Amino acid sequence: MLASSPSSSSALSVAALLISCRSLRSLEQIHARIIRKGLEQHPVLATRFLSFCAAFSAPAYASSAFDRLSAPNLIVWNALLTAHARHSPLPTTVAVFNLLRRRSPVPPDAFTFPSLLSSCSHSVALLLGFSVHATILRCGLEADVFVRTALIDFYGKCRELGAARKLFDSMRHRNEVSWTAMIVGYLSSGDLASARSLFDEMPKRNVVTWNAMIDGYVKSGDLVSARQFFDKMPERNAVSYTSLIDGYAKAGDLASARVLFEQLPERDVFSWSAMISGYAQNGQPGAALKIFLEMYNQNIKPDEFVVVGLMSACSQLGSLTLAKWVDLYVTRSSIDLSKAHVLAALIDMNSKCGNMERAASLFESMPNKDLISYCSLMQGYSLHGAGDKAVGLFRQMLEEGLMPDSITFTVVLAACSRAGLVEEGRQYFDLMTNEHLIVPSPDHYACMVDLLGRAGRLTEAYELIRSMPVEPHAGAWGALLGACRLHGDISLGETIARKLFEIEPTNAGNYVLLSNIYAVADRWADVSELRTMMRGKGIRKVPGCTWI
DNA sequence: ATAGGGTTAG
């Protein structure tokens, strides 16, 4: 009897340990201590332990600890369900809920449903949510504020605004959370006006409400209103800053994002990742890397979003040395490499930086290879002189039954061009338009122009550019000018160059190309005339770009 | 002792 009723003071000391726990590893140590001290069956301690598993995103560990309990009560069951609802796929969560229904000593209560419903709304699982709602009615829990709010949130996120509003209007006691759930519902279906009028109508708002409005405006692209809300709110937290930083970053206004980031008193991992991926997505990989290093030096643990941003920056920089360091860093971190987007970014980085062996072996390790990873690998091969391998991968992809999209075709056409596979490229262009009904973009045309031009079929390339239903961009003309230089076609080169001087008058590369065409033909007078013209327009030669 | 908000790749 004495052995099975351990002193409450040791339970208390373990509970105190839990509060200071900072990693999954120390959580495991605490679990070992709980078992050693014979406190395993302590229901309060078990509940707290499970909620810490949830905090460390370890639902499987929560389950394994839970499975050792001989007679879990409903509260412990609820804690387990919450751990899964936040971190497991919906089917797993539903399985836990079904077990709970069968095995819990008492029927589900008002604490059971909010987490289950939030899992449903996260997956926009409308039908499942309906049946959960039916269960709630059977249990007589629809009037509970938490349950009702979770229902409003669920219907709102599933864009069933009518159902959500009915539940909202018939509520006896609403709190800020219920109002916010309704507002978020309107926001997620893009009804900013209704959201705004509810916001104005509600008696008391909290930080979450303000943040929801900011996020809604950011997502709808109205950064001015988002900023007004941000400036007006009585108190801000990291989320308020990060939503707006993210908005500025996605709109390409890194300067404004940076100012807010510098003002943010307590940066969390979200704000760091907003800046890092913001810079990476706007073609400023150097700046992304600098922010990452700042974060790294502050010993902040990166999450998957940070490393995806970092790897994307590294891909753009193309440095093999850096890629090797980042690869090692990411592999050694606790980040789950099997997550699709992490793996895709890792493959892409190695591929773009020329570590094809590593890229290929990562690719081979994927159980379900997706379009994006195929594209990454194809681009790597294409970039590093193995266009034929890239095209081979594309064939393999088709055989696997994957449906290539617009970007895939851009990649494969570029690969064909590099490998000199003119006929195959043409076939793929036809396949794209005739079978996949993809309307060719300026990029696709630019690839085709490059393909034909490199093969010396300049007239055909020129005809293609002129027959384009969309406006060709500088890339297409540039490819053709490059081809003219390659094949020494002066007269076409002059025509194209004149066109390019109009479209991008300050790009020195175009002047250099034309000058090279003249030089090869010994037309030095034209070369010097061109230089004078450049000087007259104040155009500077880009360093590292040769004249001849 | 348990319950509501944020980002990700070619």
Side-chain angles (χ1 to χ4, degrees), chain A residues 508-509 512 534 539-547:
Chain A
V512 173
M534 273 183 82
I539 301 157
R540 285 273 206 68
K541 187 175 81 72
V542 184
C545 201
T546 49
W547 278 93

Side-chain angles (χ1 to χ4, degrees), chain A residues 17 33 47 57 90 110-112 114 148 169 177 213 226 237 279 305 308 331 355 380 401 409 429 467 478 508 524:
Chain A
L17 269 181
R33 185 186 288 245
T47 305
S57 315
L90 182 57
F111 282 80
T112 311
R148 172 82 60 129
D169 285 337
V177 184
M213 290 304 292
N237 62 14
Y279 277 124
F305 301 101
V308 166
T331 309
N355 194 352
F409 277 108
F429 192 82
S467 69
W524 300 102

Side-chain angles (χ1 to χ4, degrees), chain A residues 169-380:
Chain A
D169 285 337
S170 59
M171 264 179 112
R172 251 175 220 287
H173 306 288
R174 296 178 198 124
N175 58 23
E176 298 104 279
V177 184
S178 341
W179 283 88
T180 305
M182 194 61 231
I183 288 175
V184 167
Y186 284 126
L187 291 174
S188 49
S189 53
D191 187 351
L192 281 112
S194 304
R196 177 68 201 257
S197 74
L198 263 193
F199 179 88
D200 291 334
E201 217 181 293
M202 71 190 279
K204 210 165 142 245
R205 303 158 193 97
N206 63 20
V207 179
V208 180
T209 323
W210 284 94
N211 288 349
M213 290 304 292
I214 292 174
D215 187 58
Y217 282 116
V218 164
K219 292 227 167 84
S220 75
D222 183 355
L223 287 174
V224 175
S225 303
R227 184 60 195 239
Q228 281 169 356
F229 272 77
F230 179 85
D231 288 336
K232 262 193 296 183
M233 68 195 289
E235 51 165 324
R236 305 175 188 93
N237 62 14
V239 178
S240 339
Y241 280 87
T242 306
S243 293
L244 202 51
I245 289 174
D246 218 42
Y248 283 130
K250 296 235 164 77
D253 183 357
L254 269 311
S256 302
R258 187 58 182 262
V259 169
L260 279 180
F261 181 71
E262 300 294 344
Q263 286 170 359
L264 179 51
E266 298 224 343
R267 293 172 191 162
D268 60 9
V269 72
F270 291 111
S271 41
W272 287 97
S273 92
M275 283 312 293
I276 293 169
S277 45
Y279 277 124
Q281 280 163 20
N282 284 285
Q284 299 185 48
L289 195 65
K290 256 177 99 172
I291 298 277
F292 167 75
L293 285 176
E294 206 182 315
M295 187 190 127
Y296 179 80
N297 288 330
Q298 291 183 24
N299 278 323
I300 294 163
K301 224 180 116 199
D303 66 359
E304 50 187 294
F305 301 101
V306 169
V307 300
V308 166
L310 171 66
M311 291 190 286
S312 153
C314 190
S315 303
Q316 295 171 54
L317 290 166
S319 154
L320 183 57
T321 321
L322 185 60
K324 283 187 171 163
W325 184 87
V326 171
D327 191 320
L328 205 65
Y329 168 76
V330 174
T331 309
R332 281 184 183 164
S333 74
S334 55
I335 288 150
D336 183 7
L337 292 187
S338 65
K339 284 205 176 176
H341 53 275
V342 179
L343 190 54
L346 191 57
I347 292 174
D348 188 55
M349 176 183 73
N350 278 295
S351 186
K352 294 249 175 77
C353 296
N355 194 352
M356 294 312 296
E357 231 171 85
R358 170 78 168 144
S361 84
L362 285 165
F363 179 76
E364 289 309 326
S365 76
M366 289 179 80
N368 300 309
K369 302 175 174 55
D370 59 4
L371 262 196
I372 288 155
S373 304
Y374 263 107
C375 282
S376 295
L377 207 57
M378 281 163 57
Q379 266 190 317

Side-chain angles (χ1 to χ4, degrees), chain A residues 149-161:
Chain A
T149 302
L151 279 169
I152 292 168
D153 177 70
F154 163 73
Y155 283 116
K157 292 214 173 106
C158 292
R159 300 186 166 219
E160 294 287 330
L161 275 312

